[in-house]
Amino acid sequence: QMAALQQPLHIQQPIPLGVPPMIEHPYIQPTHGRLPADRPIVKLSVSLIDTYKHINRVYYEERDARRAARAAQKAQKGQGANNNGWDDDNYDYIVTTGELFYGHYVIKERIGKGSFGQVVRAVDTRTNQDVAIKIIKSKKPFLLQAKTEI
């Protein structure tokens, strides 16, 4: 046991100042994995502008796709805030000129609006006469009141 302790230790020679140490095994580029240009450290330093341009391009493409999808969905159900897009903020039906009601009334214009609903002028295509159509708001109290008036 004493012989093992008495063996000389390897002492490393001091490196003079200003002289870089010699590396016995230089770094070898791997033959598989990421390409040097695809490495995160390169993308976040040398290619930072290209990285931001790519991120912006992807963001705006996704944003435009979301906007187009929302616009298509809105076009299908109307542009209102209530009743699945058919009514405005005050629960009044969004009237469109030229719209067909009940298969034979063509809406010409809105001629009145109040707290209970609105009235539109339409043409009955069966008789070719002007008619007035009262459209009540799509809230339960207005519906109940309208039923009592009929």
Side-chain angles (χ1 to χ4, degrees), residues 63-98:
R63 186 193 70 176
D64 294 343
R66 283 190 308 269
R67 283 184 176 174
R70 273 196 306 262
Q73 190 176 33
K74 221 177 210 187
Q76 285 180 343
K77 66 177 182 179
Q79 298 178 7
N82 297 306
N83 193 16
N84 294 322
W86 296 106
D87 296 344
D88 64 10
D89 292 333
N90 296 318
Y91 295 92
D92 283 312
Y93 179 76
I94 299 172
V95 178
T96 306
T97 303

Side-chain angles (χ1 to χ4, degrees), residues 34-107:
R34 294 184 175 131
L35 296 172
D38 291 337
R39 294 190 178 130
I41 192 71
V42 173
K43 286 186 175 261
L44 293 173
S45 57
V46 178
S47 303
L48 187 60
I49 298 297
D50 295 334
T51 302
Y52 278 122
K53 285 180 181 179
H54 172 71
I55 290 169
N56 283 339
R57 187 177 66 250
V58 169
Y59 169 79
Y60 286 111
E61 286 172 359
E62 289 175 357
R63 186 193 70 176
D64 294 343
R66 283 190 308 269
R67 283 184 176 174
R70 273 196 306 262
Q73 190 176 33
K74 221 177 210 187
Q76 285 180 343
K77 66 177 182 179
Q79 298 178 7
N82 297 306
N83 193 16
N84 294 322
W86 296 106
D87 296 344
D88 64 10
D89 292 333
N90 296 318
Y91 295 92
D92 283 312
Y93 179 76
I94 299 172
V95 178
T96 306
T97 303
E99 186 175 1
L100 189 65
F101 270 22
Y102 297 108
H104 60 98
Y105 297 106
V106 178
I107 304 298

Side-chain angles (χ1 to χ4, degrees), residues 98-108 122-131 133:
E99 186 175 1
L100 189 65
F101 270 22
Y102 297 108
H104 60 98
Y105 297 106
V106 178
I107 304 298
K108 292 298 178 185
V123 175
D124 186 344
T125 57
R126 295 178 184 168
T127 63
N128 204 25
Q129 291 183 348
D130 281 354
V131 295
I133 301 174

Side-chain angles (χ1 to χ4, degrees), residues 12-36:
Q12 197 174 25
Q13 296 294 325
I15 300 172
L17 293 175
V19 177
M22 298 298 291
I23 300 174
E24 293 181 21
H25 304 286
Y27 179 72
I28 299 172
Q29 294 284 332
T31 56
H32 63 294
R34 294 184 175 131
L35 296 172

